[in-house]
Amino acid sequence: MKFNFSKYYRKDLNEKRWNLIENLKRREELSPKVIEAISILPRELFVQSSFSSKAYEDNALPIDCEQTITQPYTVAYQTTLLDIQKGDTVLEIGTGSGYQASILHILGARVFTVERIKELYEKAREIFKMLKLPIQTRFADGTIGWSQNAPFKKIIVTAAAPSVPSSLLEQLAIGGLLVIPTGERASQDMLLIEKVSEGNFLETKKERFKFVPLIGKEGWKE
Ligand code: SAH
């Protein structure tokens, strides 16, 4: 791969990093290409520094503003469902640390990501700049999508939605895929939705997960 982030790795975490990758490789439902992307991105850069020694445990970890960076298994799972092809335009709702968006970029997507918390939006922009990742960012309520850049080949929501926002269905390209955790605040079903034709969707219910809430016009109230 053309990416080389080796100067950012904490060398004392090398063994933990390889253990995480070996464990992900044992899960047959995960794409090897996605695991390769995870293996090159230094996750220690995306978590709060006091948690960086735990960066390669397969858990969600705190970032700022009471939000979390998604668990590596879950990043791999959602990204596998998205089936990224080079050049796909991808919209992510919930930039958070910027980790998931970076994985999408490494896989060859043109990434657009939206975050509703200013502090996280700014911090993610700094990381993208430092790593030289040309990811488009927006500070806004992502439940209404990003209509100026629609349609998107793929859309990924990384926060828990009470139901599927209609704006996101509208902004999906024909033949495009939307991956979104939907359900109660306590836990959600991962939905994979394909836009077969205008107004015609194919929905598959996948595993259960637990995400922080998606808050906004077509999400949970504050
Ligand atoms: N993809 C992130 C996960 C962050 S957690 C990562 O890789 O680290 C989910 C994020 O969604 C939080 O940062 C939260 O602030 C954000 N979020 C919640 N509701 C949102 C909305 N309506 N629009 C945009 N971002 C939202």
Side-chain angles (χ1 to χ4, degrees), residues 63 67-70 75 92-101 114-117 120 140-143 158-159 212-217:
I63 53 177
Q67 303 303 314
T68 55
I69 179 172
T70 307
V75 171
E92 179 196 28
I93 310 304
T95 313
S97 66
Y99 183 83
Q100 171 75 69
V114 184
E115 172 56 56
R116 67 178 284 275
I117 298 177
L120 296 176
D141 172 10
T143 62
T158 64
V212 297
L214 180 76
I215 294 168
K217 193 156 172 263

Side-chain angles (χ1 to χ4, degrees), residues 166-180:
S166 59
S167 303
L168 300 185
L169 293 174
E170 271 163 38
Q171 292 174 28
L172 198 57
I174 306 290
L177 298 174
L178 164 63
V179 173
I180 179 170

Side-chain angles (χ1 to χ4, degrees), residues 18-124:
W18 285 113
N19 284 338
L20 171 68
I21 297 306
E22 287 310 310
N23 287 331
L24 293 176
K25 281 182 181 163
R26 278 188 214 112
R27 309 295 293 258
E28 284 180 0
E29 69 275 29
L30 303 177
S31 146
K33 264 198 323 197
V34 171
I35 296 172
E36 193 187 350
I38 289 178
S39 76
I40 69 169
L41 187 64
R43 192 168 184 254
E44 57 268 52
L45 294 181
F46 295 84
V47 304
Q48 273 176 9
S49 53
S50 55
F51 284 91
S52 76
S53 57
K54 293 185 187 295
Y56 294 103
E57 291 175 13
D58 197 5
N59 289 317
L61 287 172
I63 53 177
D64 295 334
C65 310
E66 293 170 11
Q67 303 303 314
T68 55
I69 179 172
T70 307
Q71 180 182 345
Y73 173 78
T74 309
V75 171
Y77 188 88
Q78 281 194 289
T79 313
T80 297
L81 291 182
L82 275 184
D83 188 28
I84 298 296
Q85 306 297 318
K86 285 213 166 48
D88 277 355
T89 52
V90 182
L91 174 65
E92 179 196 28
I93 310 304
T95 313
S97 66
Y99 183 83
Q100 171 75 69
S102 304
I103 293 292
L104 294 168
H105 175 81
I106 291 170
L107 289 166
R110 285 184 54 211
V111 184
F112 298 82
T113 182
V114 184
E115 172 56 56
R116 67 178 284 275
I117 298 177
K118 190 71 177 269
E119 205 175 314
L120 296 176
Y121 157 83
E122 278 167 356
K123 206 166 165 188

Side-chain angles (χ1 to χ4, degrees), residues 186-198:
S187 74
Q188 307 86 33
D189 291 312
M190 191 66 76
L191 300 185
L192 173 65
I193 300 174
E194 182 185 351
K195 189 168 188 168
V196 180
S197 60
E198 207 52 65

Side-chain angles (χ1 to χ4, degrees), residues 183-188 208-211 220:
E184 301 307 311
R185 277 210 187 216
S187 74
Q188 307 86 33
R208 285 188 82 74
F209 291 90
K210 179 168 178 20
F211 282 81
W220 295 99

